[in-house]
Coordinates of all heavy atoms in Angstrom, one line a residue:
M27 N 0.8 -1.2 0.0 CA 0.0 0.0 0.0 C 0.9 1.3 0.0 O 0.5 2.2 -0.6 CB -0.9 0.0 1.2 CG -2.1 -1.0 1.2 SD -3.3 -0.6 -0.1 CE -4.1 0.8 0.5
N28 N 2.0 1.2 0.7 CA 2.8 2.5 0.8 C 3.3 2.9 -0.6 O 3.5 4.1 -0.8 CB 4.0 2.3 1.7 CG 3.5 2.3 3.2 OD1 2.5 3.0 3.5 ND2 4.2 1.7 4.1
S29 N 3.5 1.9 -1.5 CA 4.0 2.3 -2.8 C 3.0 3.1 -3.6 O 3.3 3.7 -4.6 CB 4.5 1.1 -3.6 OG 3.3 0.3 -3.9
M30 N 1.7 3.1 -3.2 CA 0.7 3.8 -3.9 C 0.3 5.1 -3.4 O -0.5 5.9 -3.9 CB -0.6 2.9 -4.0 CG -0.4 1.7 -4.9 SD -1.9 0.8 -5.1 CE -2.2 0.0 -3.5
R31 N 1.0 5.5 -2.3 CA 0.7 6.8 -1.6 C 1.0 8.0 -2.6 O 0.3 9.0 -2.6 CB 1.5 7.0 -0.4 CG 0.9 6.1 0.8 CD 1.5 6.5 2.1 NE 1.1 5.5 3.1 CZ -0.1 5.5 3.7 NH1 -0.9 6.5 3.5 NH2 -0.3 4.6 4.6
N32 N 2.1 7.9 -3.4 CA 2.3 8.9 -4.4 C 1.5 8.4 -5.6 O 2.0 7.6 -6.4 CB 3.8 8.9 -4.8 CG 4.6 9.5 -3.6 OD1 4.1 10.3 -2.8 ND2 5.8 9.0 -3.4
Y33 N 0.3 8.9 -5.7 CA -0.6 8.3 -6.7 C -0.5 8.8 -8.1 O -1.3 8.4 -9.0 CB -2.1 8.4 -6.2 CG -2.5 9.8 -5.7 CD1 -2.9 10.8 -6.6 CD2 -2.4 10.2 -4.4 CE1 -3.3 12.0 -6.2 CE2 -2.8 11.4 -3.9 CZ -3.2 12.3 -4.9 OH -3.6 13.6 -4.4
W34 N 0.4 9.7 -8.4 CA 0.6 10.2 -9.8 C 1.8 9.4 -10.3 O 2.8 9.2 -9.6 CB 0.8 11.7 -9.9 CG -0.4 12.5 -9.5 CD1 -0.6 13.3 -8.5 CD2 -1.7 12.5 -10.2 NE1 -1.8 13.9 -8.5 CE2 -2.5 13.4 -9.5 CE3 -2.2 11.9 -11.4 CZ2 -3.8 13.7 -10.0 CZ3 -3.4 12.2 -11.8 CH2 -4.2 13.1 -11.1
Q35 N 1.8 9.1 -11.6 CA 2.9 8.5 -12.3 C 4.0 9.6 -12.3 O 3.7 10.7 -12.7 CB 2.6 8.0 -13.7 CG 1.8 6.8 -13.7 CD 1.7 6.2 -15.1 OE1 2.4 6.6 -16.0 NE2 0.7 5.4 -15.3
P36 N 5.3 9.2 -12.0 CA 6.4 10.2 -12.1 C 6.5 10.8 -13.5 O 6.4 10.2 -14.5 CB 7.6 9.4 -11.8 CG 7.1 8.2 -11.1 CD 5.7 7.9 -11.6
G37 N 6.5 12.2 -13.5 CA 6.6 12.9 -14.7 C 5.2 13.2 -15.4 O 5.1 13.9 -16.3
L38 N 4.1 12.5 -14.8 CA 2.8 12.7 -15.4 C 1.8 13.2 -14.3 O 0.7 12.8 -14.3 CB 2.3 11.4 -16.0 CG 3.1 10.9 -17.2 CD1 2.6 9.5 -17.6 CD2 2.9 11.9 -18.4
E39 N 2.3 13.9 -13.3 CA 1.5 14.4 -12.2 C 0.4 15.2 -12.7 O 0.5 16.1 -13.6 CB 2.4 15.2 -11.2 CG 3.4 14.4 -10.4 CD 4.7 14.2 -11.2 OE1 4.8 14.7 -12.3 OE2 5.5 13.5 -10.6
G40 N -0.8 14.9 -12.2 CA -2.0 15.6 -12.6 C -2.6 15.1 -13.9 O -3.6 15.6 -14.4
I41 N -1.9 14.1 -14.5 CA -2.4 13.6 -15.8 C -2.8 12.2 -15.7 O -3.9 11.8 -16.2 CB -1.3 13.8 -16.9 CG1 -1.0 15.3 -17.1 CG2 -1.8 13.2 -18.2 CD1 0.1 15.6 -18.0
T42 N -1.9 11.3 -15.2 CA -2.1 9.9 -15.2 C -1.8 9.3 -13.8 O -0.7 9.6 -13.2 CB -1.2 9.1 -16.2 OG1 -1.5 9.7 -17.5 CG2 -1.6 7.7 -16.2
Q43 N -2.8 8.6 -13.2 CA -2.6 8.0 -11.9 C -1.7 6.8 -12.0 O -1.6 6.1 -13.0 CB -3.9 7.7 -11.3 CG -4.7 6.5 -12.0 CD -5.9 6.0 -11.3 OE1 -5.7 5.6 -10.1 NE2 -7.0 6.1 -11.9
F44 N -1.0 6.5 -10.9 CA -0.2 5.3 -10.7 C -1.2 4.2 -10.2 O -1.9 4.4 -9.3 CB 0.9 5.5 -9.7 CG 1.6 4.3 -9.3 CD1 2.4 3.6 -10.1 CD2 1.3 3.7 -8.0 CE1 3.1 2.5 -9.8 CE2 2.0 2.5 -7.7 CZ 2.8 1.9 -8.5
Q45 N -1.2 3.1 -11.0 CA -2.0 2.0 -10.6 C -1.1 0.7 -10.3 O -0.1 0.6 -11.0 CB -3.0 1.6 -11.7 CG -4.0 2.7 -11.9 CD -4.9 2.5 -13.1 OE1 -4.4 2.6 -14.2 NE2 -6.1 2.1 -12.9
Y46 N -1.6 -0.1 -9.5 CA -0.8 -1.3 -9.2 C -1.0 -2.4 -10.3 O -0.1 -3.3 -10.4 CB -1.1 -1.9 -7.8 CG -2.6 -2.3 -7.6 CD1 -3.0 -3.6 -7.9 CD2 -3.5 -1.3 -7.2 CE1 -4.3 -3.9 -7.7 CE2 -4.8 -1.7 -7.0 CZ -5.2 -2.9 -7.3 OH -6.5 -3.3 -7.1
N47 N -2.1 -2.4 -11.0 CA -2.3 -3.4 -12.1 C -3.0 -2.7 -13.2 O -4.2 -2.5 -13.1 CB -3.1 -4.5 -11.5 CG -3.2 -5.7 -12.5 OD1 -2.9 -5.6 -13.6 ND2 -3.7 -6.8 -12.0
Y48 N -2.3 -2.4 -14.3 CA -2.9 -1.6 -15.4 C -3.9 -2.4 -16.2 O -4.6 -1.9 -17.0 CB -1.8 -1.0 -16.2 CG -1.1 0.1 -15.5 CD1 0.1 -0.1 -14.8 CD2 -1.7 1.4 -15.4 CE1 0.7 0.9 -14.1 CE2 -1.0 2.4 -14.7 CZ 0.1 2.1 -14.0 OH 0.7 3.1 -13.3
G49 N -3.8 -3.8 -16.1 CA -4.7 -4.6 -16.9 C -6.1 -4.7 -16.3 O -7.1 -5.1 -16.9
E50 N -6.2 -4.3 -15.0 CA -7.5 -4.3 -14.3 C -8.1 -3.0 -14.3 O -7.5 -2.0 -14.4 CB -7.3 -4.8 -12.9 CG -6.8 -6.2 -12.8 CD -7.8 -7.3 -13.2 OE1 -9.0 -7.1 -13.0 OE2 -7.3 -8.3 -13.8
N51 N -9.4 -2.9 -14.0 CA -10.1 -1.6 -13.9 C -10.2 -1.2 -12.5 O -11.3 -1.2 -11.9 CB -11.5 -1.7 -14.6 CG -11.4 -1.8 -16.1 OD1 -10.5 -1.2 -16.7 ND2 -12.3 -2.5 -16.7
H52 N -9.1 -0.8 -11.9 CA -9.1 -0.4 -10.5 C -8.4 0.9 -10.4 O -7.3 1.1 -11.0 CB -8.4 -1.4 -9.6 CG -9.1 -2.8 -9.6 ND1 -10.3 -3.0 -9.0 CD2 -8.7 -3.9 -10.1 CE1 -10.6 -4.3 -9.1 NE2 -9.7 -4.9 -9.8
N53 N -8.9 1.8 -9.6 CA -8.3 3.1 -9.3 C -7.4 2.9 -8.2 O -7.6 2.1 -7.3 CB -9.3 4.2 -9.0 CG -10.1 4.7 -10.2 OD1 -9.5 5.2 -11.1 ND2 -11.4 4.5 -10.2
N54 N -6.3 3.7 -8.1 CA -5.4 3.8 -7.0 C -6.3 4.3 -5.8 O -6.9 5.3 -5.9 CB -4.3 4.7 -7.3 CG -3.3 4.8 -6.1 OD1 -3.7 5.0 -5.0 ND2 -2.0 4.8 -6.4
P55 N -6.3 3.6 -4.7 CA -7.2 4.0 -3.6 C -6.9 5.4 -3.0 O -7.8 6.2 -2.7 CB -7.0 3.0 -2.5 CG -5.8 2.2 -2.9 CD -5.6 2.4 -4.3
F56 N -5.6 5.8 -3.0 CA -5.2 7.1 -2.6 C -5.6 8.2 -3.6 O -6.1 9.3 -3.2 CB -3.7 7.2 -2.3 CG -3.3 6.3 -1.2 CD1 -2.7 5.1 -1.4 CD2 -3.4 6.8 0.1 CE1 -2.3 4.3 -0.3 CE2 -3.1 6.0 1.2 CZ -2.5 4.7 1.0
F57 N -5.5 7.9 -4.9 CA -5.9 8.8 -5.9 C -7.4 9.0 -5.8 O -7.9 10.1 -5.9 CB -5.6 8.2 -7.3 CG -6.3 8.8 -8.5 CD1 -5.8 10.0 -9.0 CD2 -7.4 8.3 -9.0 CE1 -6.4 10.5 -10.1 CE2 -8.1 8.8 -10.1 CZ -7.6 10.0 -10.6
Y58 N -8.2 7.9 -5.6 CA -9.6 8.0 -5.5 C -10.0 8.9 -4.3 O -11.0 9.7 -4.4 CB -10.2 6.6 -5.5 CG -11.7 6.6 -6.0 CD1 -11.9 6.6 -7.3 CD2 -12.7 6.7 -5.1 CE1 -13.2 6.7 -7.8 CE2 -14.0 6.7 -5.6 CZ -14.3 6.7 -6.9 OH -15.6 6.7 -7.4
K59 N -9.4 8.6 -3.2 CA -9.7 9.4 -2.0 C -9.5 10.9 -2.1 O -10.3 11.7 -1.7 CB -9.0 8.8 -0.8 CG -9.2 9.5 0.5 CD -8.4 9.0 1.6 CE -8.7 9.8 2.9 NZ -7.9 9.4 4.0
Y60 N -8.3 11.2 -2.6 CA -7.9 12.6 -2.6 C -8.3 13.4 -3.8 O -8.3 14.7 -3.8 CB -6.4 12.7 -2.4 CG -6.0 12.2 -1.0 CD1 -5.2 11.1 -0.8 CD2 -6.4 12.9 0.2 CE1 -4.8 10.6 0.4 CE2 -6.1 12.4 1.4 CZ -5.3 11.3 1.5 OH -4.9 10.8 2.8
E61 N -8.5 12.8 -4.9 CA -8.8 13.5 -6.2 C -10.3 13.4 -6.6 O -10.8 14.4 -7.2 CB -7.9 12.9 -7.3 CG -6.4 13.1 -7.1 CD -6.0 14.6 -7.0 OE1 -6.6 15.4 -7.7 OE2 -5.1 14.9 -6.3
N62 N -11.0 12.4 -6.3 CA -12.4 12.3 -6.6 C -13.2 12.6 -5.4 O -13.5 11.8 -4.6 CB -12.7 10.8 -7.1 CG -12.1 10.5 -8.4 OD1 -11.5 11.4 -9.1 ND2 -12.1 9.3 -8.8
T63 N -13.6 13.9 -5.4 CA -14.3 14.4 -4.2 C -15.7 14.7 -4.5 O -16.1 15.1 -5.6 CB -13.6 15.7 -3.7 OG1 -13.6 16.6 -4.8 CG2 -12.1 15.4 -3.3
S64 N -16.5 14.6 -3.5 CA -18.0 14.9 -3.6 C -18.3 15.8 -2.3 O -17.7 15.7 -1.3 CB -18.8 13.7 -3.5 OG -18.6 12.9 -4.6
T65 N -19.3 16.7 -2.5 CA -19.7 17.5 -1.4 C -21.2 17.5 -1.3 O -21.9 17.2 -2.3 CB -19.2 19.0 -1.6 OG1 -19.9 19.5 -2.7 CG2 -17.7 19.1 -1.7
Q66 N -21.7 17.8 -0.1 CA -23.1 18.0 0.1 C -23.4 19.1 1.1 O -22.8 19.1 2.2 CB -23.8 16.7 0.6 CG -25.3 16.8 0.8 CD -25.9 15.5 1.4 OE1 -25.2 14.7 1.9 NE2 -27.2 15.4 1.3
N67 N -24.2 20.1 0.7 CA -24.6 21.1 1.6 C -26.1 21.0 1.7 O -26.8 21.2 0.7 CB -24.2 22.5 1.0 CG -22.7 22.7 1.0 OD1 -22.1 22.3 2.0 ND2 -22.2 23.2 -0.1
K68 N -26.6 20.8 2.8 CA -28.1 20.6 3.0 C -28.5 21.5 4.2 O -27.9 21.5 5.3 CB -28.4 19.2 3.3 CG -29.9 18.9 3.4 CD -30.2 17.4 3.6 CE -31.6 17.2 3.5 NZ -32.0 15.7 3.5
D69 N -29.6 22.3 3.9 CA -30.2 23.1 4.9 C -31.6 22.6 5.1 O -32.3 22.3 4.1 CB -30.2 24.6 4.5 CG -28.8 25.2 4.4 OD1 -28.0 24.9 5.3 OD2 -28.6 25.9 3.4
R70 N -32.1 22.5 6.3 CA -33.5 22.0 6.6 C -34.1 22.8 7.7 O -33.5 23.0 8.7 CB -33.4 20.5 6.9 CG -34.8 19.9 7.1 CD -34.7 18.4 7.2 NE -36.0 17.8 7.3 CZ -36.3 16.6 7.7 NH1 -35.3 15.8 8.0 NH2 -37.5 16.2 7.7
V71 N -35.4 23.1 7.5 CA -36.2 23.8 8.6 C -37.4 22.9 8.7 O -38.1 22.6 7.7 CB -36.6 25.2 8.2 CG1 -37.5 25.8 9.2 CG2 -35.3 26.0 8.0
F72 N -37.8 22.5 9.9 CA -39.0 21.8 10.1 C -39.6 22.2 11.5 O -38.8 22.6 12.4 CB -38.8 20.3 10.0 CG -37.8 19.7 11.0 CD1 -38.3 19.2 12.2 CD2 -36.5 19.6 10.7 CE1 -37.4 18.6 13.1 CE2 -35.6 19.1 11.6 CZ -36.0 18.6 12.8
G73 N -40.9 22.1 11.6 CA -41.5 22.4 12.9 C -43.0 22.4 12.7 O -43.6 22.2 11.7
N74 N -43.7 22.7 13.9 CA -45.1 22.8 13.8 C -45.6 23.8 14.8 O -44.9 24.2 15.8 CB -45.8 21.4 14.1 CG -45.4 20.8 15.5 OD1 -45.3 21.6 16.5 ND2 -45.0 19.6 15.5
L75 N -46.8 24.3 14.6 CA -47.4 25.3 15.5 C -48.9 24.9 15.6 O -49.5 24.6 14.7 CB -47.3 26.7 14.8 CG -48.0 27.8 15.5 CD1 -47.2 28.1 16.8 CD2 -48.0 29.1 14.6
Q76 N -49.3 25.0 16.9 CA -50.8 24.7 17.2 C -51.3 25.7 18.1 O -50.7 26.1 19.1 CB -50.8 23.3 17.8 CG -52.3 22.9 18.2 CD -52.3 21.5 18.8 OE1 -51.6 20.6 18.3 NE2 -53.2 21.3 19.7
L77 N -52.5 26.2 17.8 CA -53.2 27.2 18.6 C -54.7 26.7 18.8 O -55.3 26.3 17.9 CB -53.3 28.5 17.9 CG -54.0 29.7 18.5 CD1 -53.3 30.0 19.8 CD2 -54.1 30.8 17.6
T78 N -55.1 26.6 20.1 CA -56.4 26.2 20.5 C -57.1 27.3 21.3 O -56.5 27.8 22.2 CB -56.4 24.9 21.3 OG1 -55.6 23.9 20.6 CG2 -57.8 24.4 21.6
Y79 N -58.3 27.6 20.9 CA -59.1 28.6 21.6 C -60.4 27.9 22.0 O -61.2 27.3 21.2 CB -59.4 29.8 20.7 CG -60.2 30.8 21.5 CD1 -59.6 31.7 22.4 CD2 -61.6 31.0 21.3 CE1 -60.3 32.7 23.1 CE2 -62.3 31.9 22.0 CZ -61.6 32.8 22.9 OH -62.3 33.7 23.6
N80 N -60.7 27.9 23.3 CA -61.9 27.3 23.9 C -63.0 28.4 24.0 O -62.9 29.2 24.8 CB -61.7 26.6 25.2 CG -60.7 25.5 25.1 OD1 -60.8 24.7 24.2 ND2 -59.8 25.4 26.1
F81 N -64.1 28.3 23.2 CA -65.2 29.2 23.3 C -66.0 28.8 24.5 O -66.4 29.7 25.3 CB -66.1 29.1 22.0 CG -65.3 29.7 20.8 CD1 -64.8 28.8 19.9 CD2 -65.2 31.0 20.6 CE1 -64.2 29.3 18.7 CE2 -64.5 31.5 19.5 CZ -64.0 30.6 18.5
T82 N -66.4 27.5 24.6 CA -67.1 27.0 25.8 C -66.5 25.7 26.1 O -65.5 25.2 25.5 CB -68.6 26.8 25.5 OG1 -68.7 25.8 24.5 CG2 -69.3 28.1 25.0
D83 N -67.1 25.0 27.2 CA -66.6 23.7 27.5 C -66.8 22.7 26.4 O -66.1 21.7 26.3 CB -67.3 23.2 28.8 CG -66.8 23.9 30.0 OD1 -65.7 24.5 30.0 OD2 -67.5 23.9 31.0
N84 N -67.8 22.9 25.6 CA -68.1 21.9 24.5 C -67.8 22.4 23.1 O -68.0 21.7 22.1 CB -69.6 21.6 24.5 CG -70.0 20.9 25.8 OD1 -69.3 20.1 26.3 ND2 -71.2 21.3 26.3
L85 N -67.2 23.6 23.0 CA -66.9 24.2 21.7 C -65.5 24.8 21.7 O -65.2 25.7 22.5 CB -67.9 25.3 21.3 CG -67.7 25.9 19.9 CD1 -67.9 24.9 18.8 CD2 -68.7 27.0 19.7
S86 N -64.6 24.3 20.8 CA -63.3 24.9 20.7 C -62.8 25.0 19.2 O -63.4 24.3 18.4 CB -62.3 24.1 21.5 OG -62.2 22.8 21.0
L87 N -61.8 25.7 19.0 CA -61.3 25.9 17.7 C -59.8 25.6 17.8 O -59.1 26.2 18.6 CB -61.5 27.3 17.1 CG -60.8 27.6 15.8 CD1 -61.5 26.8 14.7 CD2 -60.9 29.1 15.5
M88 N -59.3 24.7 16.9 CA -57.9 24.4 16.9 C -57.3 24.7 15.4 O -57.9 24.3 14.5 CB -57.6 22.9 17.2 CG -56.1 22.6 17.2 SD -55.7 20.9 17.6 CE -56.4 20.0 16.2
I89 N -56.2 25.4 15.4 CA -55.5 25.7 14.1 C -54.1 25.1 14.3 O -53.4 25.3 15.2 CB -55.4 27.2 13.9 CG1 -56.8 27.8 13.8 CG2 -54.6 27.5 12.6 CD1 -56.8 29.3 13.7
R90 N -53.7 24.4 13.2 CA -52.5 23.7 13.2 C -51.7 23.9 11.9 O -52.3 23.9 10.9 CB -52.7 22.2 13.4 CG -51.4 21.4 13.5 CD -51.7 19.9 13.7 NE -52.4 19.7 14.9 CZ -53.0 18.5 15.2 NH1 -53.0 17.6 14.4 NH2 -53.6 18.4 16.4
S91 N -50.4 24.2 12.0 CA -49.6 24.4 10.8 C -48.3 23.6 11.0 O -47.7 23.5 12.0 CB -49.3 25.9 10.6 OG -48.5 26.0 9.5
V92 N -47.9 23.0 9.9 CA -46.7 22.2 9.9 C -45.8 22.5 8.7 O -46.4 22.8 7.6 CB -47.0 20.6 9.8 CG1 -45.7 19.8 9.8 CG2 -47.9 20.2 11.0
T93 N -44.5 22.6 8.8 CA -43.6 22.8 7.7 C -42.4 21.9 7.7 O -42.0 21.5 8.8 CB -43.1 24.3 7.6 OG1 -42.5 24.5 6.4 CG2 -42.2 24.6 8.7
D94 N -42.0 21.5 6.5 CA -40.7 20.8 6.4 C -40.1 21.2 5.0 O -40.6 20.8 4.0 CB -41.0 19.3 6.4 CG -39.7 18.4 6.4 OD1 -38.6 19.0 6.3 OD2 -39.8 17.2 6.6
F95 N -39.1 22.0 5.1 CA -38.5 22.6 3.9 C -37.0 22.3 3.9 O -36.3 22.4 5.0 CB -38.7 24.1 3.9 CG -38.0 24.8 2.8 CD1 -38.6 24.8 1.5 CD2 -36.9 25.5 3.0 CE1 -37.9 25.4 0.4 CE2 -36.2 26.2 2.0 CZ -36.8 26.1 0.7
S96 N -36.5 21.9 2.8 CA -35.0 21.7 2.7 C -34.5 22.1 1.3 O -35.2 22.1 0.3 CB -34.7 20.2 3.0 OG -35.2 19.4 2.0
T97 N -33.2 22.4 1.3 CA -32.4 22.6 0.1 C -31.2 21.7 0.1 O -30.7 21.5 1.2 CB -32.0 24.1 -0.1 OG1 -31.1 24.4 1.0 CG2 -33.2 25.0 -0.2
D98 N -30.9 21.1 -1.0 CA -29.8 20.2 -1.1 C -29.0 20.5 -2.3 O -29.5 20.5 -3.4 CB -30.4 18.8 -1.1 CG -29.4 17.7 -0.9 OD1 -28.2 18.0 -0.6 OD2 -29.7 16.5 -1.0
H99 N -27.7 20.7 -2.1 CA -26.8 21.0 -3.2 C -25.6 20.0 -3.1 O -24.9 20.0 -2.1 CB -26.3 22.5 -3.1 CG -25.3 22.8 -4.3 ND1 -25.8 23.0 -5.5 CD2 -24.0 22.9 -4.3 CE1 -24.7 23.3 -6.3 NE2 -23.6 23.3 -5.5
R100 N -25.4 19.3 -4.2 CA -24.3 18.3 -4.2 C -23.4 18.5 -5.5 O -23.9 18.8 -6.5 CB -24.9 16.9 -4.3 CG -25.8 16.5 -3.1 CD -26.4 15.2 -3.3 NE -27.4 15.0 -2.3 CZ -27.8 13.8 -1.8 NH1 -27.3 12.7 -2.4 NH2 -28.7 13.6 -0.9
T101 N -22.2 18.3 -5.3 CA -21.2 18.3 -6.4 C -20.5 17.0 -6.4 O -20.1 16.4 -5.4 CB -20.2 19.5 -6.3 OG1 -19.5 19.3 -5.1 CG2 -20.9 20.8 -6.3
F102 N -20.2 16.5 -7.6 CA -19.4 15.3 -7.8 C -18.3 15.6 -8.8 O -18.5 16.0 -9.9 CB -20.3 14.2 -8.4 CG -21.6 13.9 -7.6 CD1 -22.8 14.5 -7.9 CD2 -21.5 13.0 -6.6 CE1 -23.9 14.3 -7.2 CE2 -22.7 12.7 -5.8 CZ -23.9 13.4 -6.1
R103 N -17.1 15.3 -8.3 CA -15.9 15.6 -9.1 C -15.1 14.3 -9.3 O -14.7 13.6 -8.3 CB -15.0 16.6 -8.5 CG -13.7 16.9 -9.2 CD -12.9 17.9 -8.4 NE -11.6 18.1 -9.0 CZ -10.5 17.4 -8.8 NH1 -10.5 16.4 -8.0 NH2 -9.4 17.7 -9.5
E104 N -14.8 13.9 -10.6 CA -14.0 12.8 -10.9 C -12.7 13.4 -11.6 O -12.9 14.1 -12.6 CB -14.6 11.8 -11.8 CG -15.7 11.0 -11.0 CD -16.3 9.9 -11.8 OE1 -16.7 10.1 -13.0 OE2 -16.3 8.7 -11.3
A105 N -11.6 13.0 -11.1 CA -10.3 13.6 -11.7 C -10.0 13.0 -13.0 O -10.4 11.9 -13.4 CB -9.2 13.4 -10.7
W106 N -9.1 13.7 -13.7 CA -8.5 13.2 -15.0 C -7.9 11.8 -14.7 O -7.2 11.7 -13.7 CB -7.5 14.2 -15.4 CG -6.9 14.0 -16.8 CD1 -5.8 13.2 -17.0 CD2 -7.3 14.5 -18.0 NE1 -5.5 13.3 -18.3 CE2 -6.5 14.1 -19.0 CE3 -8.4 15.3 -18.4 CZ2 -6.6 14.4 -20.3 CZ3 -8.5 15.6 -19.7 CH2 -7.6 15.2 -20.7
S107 N -8.0 10.8 -15.5 CA -7.5 9.5 -15.5 C -8.2 8.5 -14.6 O -7.7 7.5 -14.2 CB -6.0 9.5 -15.2 OG -5.6 9.3 -13.9
T108 N -9.4 8.9 -14.1 CA -10.2 7.9 -13.3 C -10.6 6.8 -14.3 O -10.9 7.0 -15.5 CB -11.5 8.6 -12.8 OG1 -11.1 9.7 -11.9 CG2 -12.4 7.7 -12.1
V109 N -10.5 5.6 -13.8 CA -10.7 4.4 -14.7 C -12.0 4.5 -15.5 O -12.0 4.3 -16.7 CB -10.6 3.1 -13.9 CG1 -11.0 1.9 -14.7 CG2 -9.2 2.9 -13.3
D110 N -13.1 4.7 -14.9 CA -14.4 4.7 -15.6 C -14.6 6.0 -16.4 O -15.6 6.1 -17.1 CB -15.5 4.5 -14.6 CG -15.5 3.1 -14.0 OD1 -15.0 2.2 -14.7 OD2 -16.0 2.9 -12.9
N111 N -13.9 7.0 -16.1 CA -14.1 8.3 -16.8 C -12.7 9.0 -17.0 O -12.3 9.9 -16.3 CB -14.9 9.2 -15.8 CG -15.8 10.1 -16.6 OD1 -15.6 10.4 -17.8 ND2 -16.8 10.7 -16.0
P112 N -11.9 8.5 -18.0 CA -10.6 9.0 -18.2 C -10.4 10.5 -18.4 O -9.3 11.0 -18.1 CB -10.0 8.2 -19.4 CG -11.2 7.6 -20.0 CD -12.3 7.5 -19.0
L113 N -11.4 11.2 -18.9 CA -11.3 12.6 -19.1 C -11.8 13.4 -17.9 O -11.8 14.6 -17.9 CB -12.1 13.0 -20.4 CG -11.5 12.4 -21.7 CD1 -12.4 12.8 -22.8 CD2 -10.1 12.8 -21.9
G114 N -12.3 12.7 -16.8 CA -12.8 13.4 -15.7 C -14.2 13.9 -15.9 O -14.7 13.8 -17.0
S115 N -14.8 14.3 -14.8 CA -16.1 14.9 -14.9 C -16.4 15.8 -13.7 O -15.8 15.6 -12.7 CB -17.2 13.8 -15.1 OG -17.3 13.1 -13.9
Y116 N -17.4 16.6 -13.9 CA -17.9 17.5 -12.8 C -19.4 17.6 -12.9 O -19.9 18.0 -14.0 CB -17.2 18.9 -12.8 CG -17.6 19.7 -11.6 CD1 -16.9 19.6 -10.4 CD2 -18.6 20.7 -11.8 CE1 -17.3 20.4 -9.3 CE2 -18.9 21.5 -10.7 CZ -18.3 21.3 -9.5 OH -18.6 22.1 -8.4
R117 N -20.1 17.3 -11.9 CA -21.6 17.4 -11.9 C -22.1 18.2 -10.7 O -21.6 18.0 -9.6 CB -22.3 16.1 -12.0 CG -22.0 15.3 -13.2 CD -22.5 13.9 -13.1 NE -21.8 13.2 -12.0 CZ -22.1 12.1 -11.5 NH1 -23.2 11.5 -11.8 NH2 -21.4 11.5 -10.6
C118 N -23.1 19.0 -10.9 CA -23.8 19.6 -9.8 C -25.2 19.2 -9.8 O -25.8 19.0 -10.8 CB -23.8 21.2 -10.0 SG -22.2 21.9 -9.8
K119 N -25.7 19.0 -8.6 CA -27.1 18.5 -8.5 C -27.8 19.3 -7.4 O -27.3 19.6 -6.4 CB -27.1 17.0 -8.2 CG -28.4 16.3 -8.1 CD -28.1 14.9 -7.9 CE -29.3 14.2 -7.3 NZ -29.1 12.8 -7.0

């Protein structure tokens, strides 16, 4: 595993990853961890409100409101020379 810590091929840094077996479809685990990054930013607000007014012992009015709102922003980045995507990619969702 230590031989894969320098995950770029010498002289091809930022272009081609160093792999332990070029005949297989496997990414260098250090390359994958540090170069193929994803993020998620999520904001969420939820809650409820209830109001009850008793007119008499046998007559009341209840008003209830509930909310659940969220925003979710995700980015997916695959670096140049990733096995399944050799030209890399970037997606926002």
Side-chain angles (χ1 to χ4, degrees):
M27 286 296 287
N28 284 334
S29 67
M30 291 189 286
R31 287 191 189 278
N32 295 327
Y33 50 83
W34 293 115
Q35 286 187 17
L38 297 172
E39 289 83 4
I41 299 171
T42 305
Q43 67 171 302
F44 168 74
Q45 294 171 288
Y46 59 93
N47 187 349
Y48 291 95
E50 298 289 328
N51 288 329
H52 298 290
N53 287 299
N54 179 317
F56 294 99
F57 167 82
Y58 204 80
K59 177 182 178 184
Y60 294 116
E61 298 296 328
N62 292 350
T63 57
S64 299
T65 63
Q66 179 181 18
N67 294 318
K68 185 173 185 174
D69 295 317
R70 185 173 184 195
V71 176
F72 60 94
N74 59 45
L75 176 68
Q76 178 178 324
L77 177 65
T78 304
Y79 183 78
N80 295 318
F81 294 103
T82 66
D83 290 338
N84 297 322
L85 181 63
S86 64
L87 173 69
M88 180 179 67
I89 299 172
R90 183 181 296 166
S91 177
V92 178
T93 188
D94 189 350
F95 176 77
S96 66
T97 59
D98 192 4
H99 180 74
R100 299 176 189 205
T101 61
F102 304 92
R103 178 185 176 269
E104 287 186 310
W106 187 271
S107 93
T108 299
V109 169
D110 294 332
N111 212 344
L113 298 178
S115 71
Y116 184 83
R117 294 174 293 168
C118 291
K119 183 175 160 183

